[in-house]
Amino acid sequence: MDKHIQAVNLPKISAIYYALLQCGYDFYAFEKDAGLVKKVETFRVELTDFPNLFFSEAKQNTCEVYPYWPRAAMLESAAFYIDCNNMQFRNFEAYRNYIMSAGNISEAERNQSFWQWLEGFPAALKAVFDSKEFQAYLRWENEWIEQQNLVWKNDLDRIKELLDICVRSRLSPIQEVCVVLNPIKCAYSADYHIDGSRWFYCSGIFSPASVVHEFLHHIVHPFVSEYKETILKHRMPLSDIDSSYYLANDEYGKLNAFEEYIVRKLTNTAMAENFPSDISLYINQILNDLS
């Protein structure tokens, strides 16, 4: 990667979490500095013309520990397919294909009800952008992002060194990494999105290990697909993997849980600066250990 890694904010994603805040999203306070929590709360306002109905339906009951999974993440992904010039979807079929092929989303979570609800996203997002209250929030968030880059400069540089190993080993085609931070988003919810050769990490708090963890998902995933048959023969559930990762406890759920298991182990290895030279051999060894 040629460019340094920086903390950034993306206005479309900022708009999503600002809107969720207006709809009762209360995960902004978890593991956050008390001063930051107090500041975020000043942006919670009562707006009669705000698209509350749309964003309130981002909260579901499929994930007990975080009821905004997966819809908040699916909105983040959708934001990359929204043209800011006219606030309309571009290449919607590519987005649909991405969601329908995602191994960590159950069929119930991407059913017809989801797609009908998503139709309201462009108009709802535009309404947020048109709000002077959101624009005031965004000006503050821009200043907060600048401070994050100063505070975390050394850690951001270290992450680049770790991820460069993956790029140099041709394990990843990524050429640019952006750490997208949002002070409203839940601290323990992290998602990633790929846009061409750019990789975006989105979270509510900066954590070097979490950035590395999410980056490793797109590296490990092809190997999980390659060893699919072998993986499915091994015993489940895996230690320390929450039941939500198993989705409907079907084939896709078991592979998703195994990917999470591998990524967690590999993250610990990477953070200890002992990244394996052969990922395939590394996964095979873990499979042998599970036998």
Side-chain angles (χ1 to χ4, degrees):
M1 289 178 287
D2 296 331
K3 296 184 178 180
H4 287 287
I5 297 177
Q6 287 189 310
V8 300
N9 61 342
L10 299 181
K12 287 183 285 189
I13 290 179
S14 301
I16 291 169
Y17 287 96
Y18 177 83
L20 290 177
L21 182 69
Q22 313 313 317
C23 299
Y25 185 89
D26 57 2
F27 286 86
Y28 62 87
F30 285 85
E31 299 181 24
K32 302 282 183 68
D33 175 78
L36 178 61
V37 170
K38 188 174 181 180
K39 182 63 179 180
V40 166
E41 288 173 344
T42 67
F43 293 107
R44 178 174 273 169
V45 293
E46 293 186 12
L47 301 172
T48 57
D49 59 345
F50 210 70
N52 287 344
L53 179 60
F54 175 82
F55 285 101
S56 64
E57 292 182 12
K59 187 176 184 179
Q60 299 286 288
N61 60 5
T62 56
C63 181
E64 184 178 351
V65 295
Y66 185 56
Y68 292 90
W69 168 265
R71 284 201 171 184
M74 293 159 93
L75 287 182
E76 286 184 18
S77 297
F80 287 92
Y81 294 85
I82 293 285
D83 186 338
C84 275
N85 293 321
N86 57 18
M87 282 300 179
Q88 295 295 321
F89 274 109
R90 54 177 175 79
N91 203 359
F92 181 77
E93 281 307 307
Y95 173 69
R96 175 184 280 274
N97 291 338
Y98 168 75
I99 292 297
M100 295 308 291
S101 63
N104 59 346
I105 300 173
S106 71
E107 295 305 318
E109 292 166 336
R110 55 189 176 200
N111 59 15
Q112 190 58 34
S113 174
F114 165 73
W115 295 108
Q116 289 174 347
W117 170 70
L118 190 71
E119 290 176 2
F121 183 46
L125 192 64
K126 183 179 186 303
V128 180
F129 267 80
D130 289 345
S131 161
K132 65 180 184 299
E133 289 84 1
F134 169 66
Q135 293 301 325
Y137 162 79
L138 191 60
R139 286 192 291 273
W140 168 79
E141 192 184 84
N142 288 337
E143 296 174 358
W144 180 77
I145 286 291
E146 289 182 10
Q147 294 171 356
Q148 299 307 296
N149 274 306
L150 293 174
V151 171
W152 299 110
K153 183 182 182 306
N154 291 339
D155 295 86
L156 289 164
D157 288 344
R158 183 183 176 224
I159 287 173
K160 183 180 184 301
E161 292 175 3
L162 291 172
L163 301 190
D164 271 342
I165 294 172
C166 301
V167 174
R168 287 197 303 268
S169 302
R170 298 188 179 182
L171 291 169
S172 172
I174 298 303
Q175 294 301 313
E176 182 179 352
V177 167
C178 297
V179 176
V180 181
L181 299 180
N182 183 275
I184 299 173
K185 186 173 180 177
C186 179
Y188 61 73
S189 173
D191 304 285
Y192 76 85
H193 312 278
I194 297 176
D195 185 14
S197 62
R198 296 186 299 168
W199 184 85
F200 296 85
Y201 165 89
C202 299
S203 182
I205 195 170
F206 179 71
S207 164
S210 181
V211 177
V212 173
H213 176 103
E214 293 302 321
F215 189 84
L216 290 173
H217 265 291
H218 87 278
I219 290 174
V220 168
H221 186 73
F223 289 97
V224 171
S225 298
E226 180 181 350
Y227 296 119
K228 170 183 170 180
E229 298 302 325
T230 305
I231 293 167
L232 293 174
K233 291 177 183 177
H234 283 70
R235 57 183 171 83
M236 303 274 178
L238 299 161
S239 61
D240 300 324
I241 301 298
D242 184 82
S243 60
S244 62
Y245 285 97
Y246 291 89
L247 306 176
N249 206 33
D250 56 5
E251 177 182 293
Y252 295 105
K254 291 176 180 178
L255 292 173
N256 183 59
F258 183 79
E259 179 176 323
E260 178 67 17
Y261 182 75
I262 291 290
V263 167
R264 289 185 187 184
K265 285 184 169 295
L266 193 55
T267 299
N268 292 336
T269 301
M271 294 304 293
E273 299 183 2
N274 189 27
F275 197 84
S277 58
D278 189 326
I279 298 292
S280 180
L281 186 63
Y282 179 83
I283 293 176
N284 270 303
Q285 182 59 56
I286 290 176
L287 284 167
N288 289 335
D289 292 342
L290 290 172
S291 297

